[in-house]
Amino acid sequence: MATYKGGFIWCFLASLFVGIFFSSEALCSTPAPQKQSLLWKVSGKGIKTSYIYGTFHLVPKDQFALPENVKQKLIKSQAVVFEVDLDSPRLNSLMARSMRMSQPIESLMTAQEYNLLTSFVKDSLERSLQQFRYIKPGFLGQLLLYPKLLGYNPESYDLALLNLAKKWHRSVYVLETPEEQIALFDKTTLEKQTTELLNSVKQFDRQRKLMKKMLSLYQQQDLDGLYSLITTQEESAETQGLLLDERNHKWLTPLVNMMQKEPSFVAVGAAHLPGENGLIQLLRSKGFKVEPVLE
């Protein structure tokens, strides 16, 4: 199975799904819903029967499994839709430019905090912080912490589906431009990024448990449980609005337009599906039938 071509996109997609939520002290669960599925059928009201699949952008290699029914629904569709263009050279270029800052990272924290970060990077990650001093804290967290959490050769559901779409010569569309993706990072101040990075270092063992819990809920296809875990994290309201709700509402019209033209297979982060402002409920509010695919 292919992996990501560049570290920038690897880190970026990880952050869109789980990275920004790792500042919490709480690890909670919710009762499983009666019907659990990551794959949903959308039909009715003038659209071609289509499917929405919730992905976990990056997972440890030994935990990756793409269900056969997901493959078959994609192959039978005419269009495949993703959040972002994984093949975009421009995204890589913009990411490389955006991740740099003019000031060294130690200027954003106390000497004690910098020593803590330096020691953690050296002792736990076996790296030197010196070469990363001018990388924004938000990006630094992804570059240094995620390989330790997910392994250094993780698998991607999104890229696996993209490769399958190419193999079967399906039309591929995206919901956001590289510029829109990069803009998500610019909405978080360096100060807040620094706080989140330091919290991640201090709570690294807790992050491992959180990641394990998220992966477990995903493998159980428990969208409600996964959504509850994410949205009950500390300071999640602002993040939820920025990364989930606003984007879901923005995507709704383009998705409906695509489904009206041709049978579509939509692959987005699983957290975009459940909740009052999730794509499942938004599509239902427009009068479409959205039902889980249980086989």
Side-chain angles (χ1 to χ4, degrees), residues 5-201:
K5 301 174 182 177
F8 299 141
I9 293 181
W10 185 97
C11 299
F12 181 65
L13 284 178
S15 70
L16 284 187
F17 188 53
V18 295
I20 202 165
F21 301 111
F22 279 171
S23 61
S24 174
E25 290 292 336
L27 286 176
C28 63
S29 59
T30 191
Q34 291 184 349
K35 295 182 179 179
Q36 299 179 167
S37 181
L38 299 172
L39 182 64
W40 294 72
K41 178 181 177 182
V42 186
S43 60
K45 202 179 176 182
I47 65 171
K48 313 295 184 183
T49 298
S50 298
Y51 295 87
I52 296 183
Y53 180 62
T55 69
F56 201 108
H57 292 314
L58 292 170
V59 300
K61 192 177 184 69
D62 61 356
Q63 297 189 43
F64 177 86
L66 189 61
E68 187 62 33
N69 67 340
V70 172
K71 297 178 185 178
Q72 292 304 316
K73 299 304 182 186
L74 183 149
I75 292 171
K76 292 180 180 179
S77 300
Q78 295 179 15
V80 185
V81 186
F82 298 94
E83 294 179 38
V84 61
D85 182 0
L86 300 179
D87 283 337
S88 171
R90 180 159 180 76
L91 180 57
N92 254 333
S93 175
L94 288 172
M95 186 70 66
R97 192 182 316 155
S98 179
M99 70 191 299
R100 304 291 299 182
M101 61 181 177
S102 59
Q103 62 194 106
I105 194 167
E106 61 263 32
S107 67
L108 298 171
M109 59 187 70
T110 67
Q112 183 179 7
E113 290 170 336
Y114 183 67
N115 289 334
L116 171 67
L117 179 61
T118 301
S119 297
F120 176 82
V121 171
K122 179 181 178 180
D123 298 339
S124 299
L125 307 181
E126 299 180 349
R127 305 289 294 273
S128 170
L129 186 60
Q130 187 65 26
Q131 61 183 307
F132 301 107
R133 289 171 58 226
Y134 289 90
I135 295 179
K136 293 177 181 177
F139 289 93
L140 185 60
Q142 316 308 322
L143 286 170
L144 294 179
L145 301 182
Y146 277 104
K148 193 73 173 179
L149 287 168
L150 293 170
Y152 290 88
N153 189 28
E155 294 285 357
S156 163
Y157 283 94
D158 303 80
L159 192 57
L161 293 168
L162 175 61
N163 289 336
L164 188 61
K166 289 180 177 179
K167 177 181 178 181
W168 289 88
H169 305 289
R170 297 297 181 256
S171 300
V172 175
Y173 301 96
V174 296
L175 294 168
E176 292 178 339
T177 66
E179 289 78 9
E180 288 173 320
Q181 293 265 311
I182 297 299
L184 293 171
F185 277 96
D186 294 333
K187 293 183 179 181
T188 305
T189 66
L190 291 177
E191 290 72 21
K192 185 172 182 180
Q193 291 179 35
T194 302
T195 298
E196 291 172 348
L197 173 60
L198 291 170
N199 284 340
S200 294
V201 168

